Amino acid sequence: MSFRSVLFLAAMCALPYMISAQKRTPLPEPSLTLKGNFFLPAPIGNPLFKSSTESIGQADGVLQVPILKGLGVGVGGKMTWYGVNDRALAPFVTNGEVRRRTFYGKLQYEQYTGPRAYYELHARFGASTYTFDCPPCTTSNKSNAFHWGLGAAYYIHATDNLSFGLTLGYEVDATRFNAENLGLTNFPGRVQTEEEHNYRNFILGMGFSTRFRKSEENARGW
């Protein structure tokens, strides 16, 4: 089953909870929260990387705490997977993948728009490491870069402590893709050997948010 199919099924399963949640009672103040997201990254302004790879998916997790009046901070990490496009690189590269590992700090602002729904605006800053794994690639073919991103999300509570939402964002890694990353001297049929811009992605996906606090809905108190 593809990553897109999993994302679609997750959205369909969460939809009834999101609809029924609007009828519940108001919530207490925010608390320590764990959030997870599943994204479909889309390269922007990176034609060489877009033609040489195929987006598989991105998994993201962050632990955050409130500070004051909707403001909060957090720390998290994410993994992004791309498959090598053998149709564009054959016969030089016939298989392989690109993995990106990112660790970041997060600054967010949350605000409720109703008893059971809220939005989040956030900024992230950290570091990314790209690993290129293919037959011509060498073991030292890694690329490190400063990472930053901006995003917005909208969540609806299924229970007092669990909510589901949609997230969209924009992210940048301060390094550029080039033919040497794949162990090549040039890309087949192209004169250009390096991107004109840093890695840039538009991301869209679905996520969940779990708060660590007591709940009146559960007989155990959580």
Side-chain angles (χ1 to χ4, degrees):
M1 183 179 292
S2 67
F3 185 85
R4 290 176 174 82
S5 298
V6 172
L7 189 62
F8 177 77
L9 289 175
M12 292 299 99
C13 291
L15 186 59
Y17 292 100
M18 297 173 68
I19 295 174
S20 64
Q22 296 289 355
K23 302 177 181 179
R24 299 179 185 271
T25 58
L27 295 167
E29 291 298 316
S31 63
L32 179 67
T33 302
L34 174 66
K35 290 188 175 181
N37 291 280
F38 302 95
F39 294 118
L40 291 175
I44 301 175
N46 299 135
L48 295 178
F49 187 75
K50 185 175 181 180
S51 63
S52 301
T53 62
E54 298 174 328
S55 295
I56 297 176
Q58 182 181 115
D60 177 16
V62 57
L63 188 66
Q64 58 190 56
V65 294
I67 299 178
L68 178 67
K69 295 183 178 180
L71 289 175
V73 295
V75 292
K78 55 186 173 181
M79 281 292 297
T80 312
W81 294 270
Y82 301 91
V84 170
N85 186 349
D86 55 0
R87 298 185 300 275
L89 299 174
F92 304 103
V93 182
T94 56
N95 62 77
E97 65 177 7
V98 180
R99 299 182 298 274
R100 183 187 68 165
R101 182 177 68 251
T102 304
F103 296 101
Y104 60 83
K106 179 181 179 184
L107 176 66
Q108 73 273 348
Y109 174 76
E110 290 184 349
Q111 180 66 51
Y112 276 87
T113 60
R116 307 294 295 187
Y118 63 97
Y119 67 86
E120 176 192 89
L121 304 176
H122 63 256
R124 307 183 187 203
F125 304 93
S128 292
T129 299
Y130 286 80
T131 301
F132 301 87
D133 186 1
C134 63
C137 298
T138 64
T139 56
S140 60
N141 243 357
K142 291 188 176 182
S143 180
N144 300 312
F146 172 74
H147 168 87
W148 67 270
L150 301 173
Y154 191 76
Y155 290 89
I156 298 179
H157 280 268
T159 67
D160 278 358
N161 289 338
L162 177 64
S163 56
F164 296 96
L166 298 176
T167 302
L168 59 86
Y170 174 76
E171 59 182 17
V172 177
D173 289 320
T175 187
R176 299 182 181 183
F177 176 65
N178 59 66
E180 292 183 359
N181 293 142
L182 298 176
L184 304 176
T185 57
N186 64 281
F187 295 101
R190 293 179 179 267
V191 177
Q192 186 180 2
T193 60
E194 184 178 77
E195 294 280 15
E196 294 184 1
H197 304 287
N198 293 336
Y199 289 99
R200 301 183 296 184
N201 286 318
F202 172 77
I203 55 176
L204 174 65
M206 182 174 180
F208 68 89
S209 175
T210 300
R211 300 185 187 274
F212 297 95
R213 64 184 176 191
K214 291 185 177 182
S215 170
E216 298 298 331
E217 292 182 345
N218 195 313
R220 297 179 181 177
W222 295 93

